[in-house]
């Protein structure tokens, strides 16, 4: 597994995964390009045999007490191998490095695998946004993690050092 910073040159590969992972509510190419270019975020890609198979991003303004996991996606054939967890931990480490103390995210209520990962990593449900994901009318589960309770805030996980 190779995690590295995403660049604008990765946009085509990221969008291919975005469109496959989120067929009804994928981000636009323009939105993703803006995210990759923003100084307020950090995006990573996961490479396997020289191909990008996943990506994730966090919005974490330097010095802000909170951060937001923007997205994590992996090609279906590479899920269930710990890659999503590694991406998440690397994003949490990036948020901690920028001074965040809490990290928020939204997860689709119809995605129990992702929700289970976030719960296993210490996120707690703090609310719901009814029919947040459109056009599917799927609720968003809003979750929060206090970084001081997570190993990445102490530099104790290898994934956090990616």
């Amino acid at each position: 597994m190779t995690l590295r910073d995403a660049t604008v040159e990765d946009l085509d590969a990221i969008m291919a995964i975005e469109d496959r992972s989120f067929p009804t509510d994928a981000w636009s190419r323009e939105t993703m390009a803006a995210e990759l270019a923003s100084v307020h975020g950090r995006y990573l890609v996961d490479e396997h045999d020289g191909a990008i198979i996943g990506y994730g991003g966090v919005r974490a303004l330097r010095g802000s007490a909170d951060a937001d996991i923007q997205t994590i996606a992996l090609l279906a054939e590479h899920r269930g191998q710990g890659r999503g967890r590694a991406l998440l931990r690397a994003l949490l480490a990036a948020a901690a490095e920028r001074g965040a103390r809490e990290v928020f995210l939204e997860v689709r209520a119809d995605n129990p695998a992702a929700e289970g990962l976030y719960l296993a990593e210490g996120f707690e449900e703090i609310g719901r946004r009814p029919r947040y994901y459109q056009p599917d009318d799927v609720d968003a589960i809003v979750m929060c993690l206090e970084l001081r309770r997570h190993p990445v805030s102490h530099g104790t996980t290898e994934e956090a050092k990616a």
Side-chain angles (χ1 to χ4, degrees), residues 5-111:
D5 286 321
T7 69
V8 70
E9 289 81 23
D10 300 322
L11 185 58
D12 288 340
I14 289 171
M15 288 310 301
I17 297 166
E18 176 78 6
D19 291 337
R20 282 179 63 186
S21 298
F22 310 108
T24 60
D25 61 349
W27 286 8
S28 71
R29 185 176 186 82
E30 294 77 21
T31 297
M32 189 64 76
E35 284 291 309
L36 291 174
S38 174
V39 298
H40 301 300
R42 181 160 183 217
Y43 275 72
L44 303 172
V45 292
D46 182 358
E47 290 183 320
H48 179 72
D49 292 336
I52 294 173
I53 60 159
Y55 63 91
V58 63
R59 179 165 294 264
L61 282 68
R62 291 203 182 274
S64 178
D66 59 76
D68 292 286
I69 299 293
Q70 298 291 87
T71 187
I72 295 176
L74 287 163
L75 291 174
E77 57 270 25
H78 295 282
R79 294 178 191 155
Q81 302 170 8
R83 291 175 177 276
R85 184 178 309 274
L87 267 168
L88 176 62
R89 288 181 177 178
L91 296 172
L92 294 174
E97 289 167 8
R98 291 176 177 219
R101 294 189 298 272
E102 291 182 307
V103 177
F104 296 87
L105 60 79
E106 292 93 19
V107 62
R108 289 176 65 110
D110 63 355
N111 189 345

Side-chain angles (χ1 to χ4, degrees), residues 119-154:
L119 289 169
E121 287 298 311
F123 280 85
E124 296 177 352
E125 180 177 336
I126 60 169
R128 292 207 176 216
R129 294 189 175 127
R131 299 182 309 278
Y132 180 81
Y133 292 100
Q134 292 298 320
D136 302 325
D137 284 334
V138 174
D139 293 355
I141 301 169
V142 182
M143 304 182 91
C144 180
L145 171 73
E146 290 183 45
L147 278 173
R148 66 180 171 80
R149 293 182 174 181
H150 196 279
V152 300
S153 67
H154 309 293

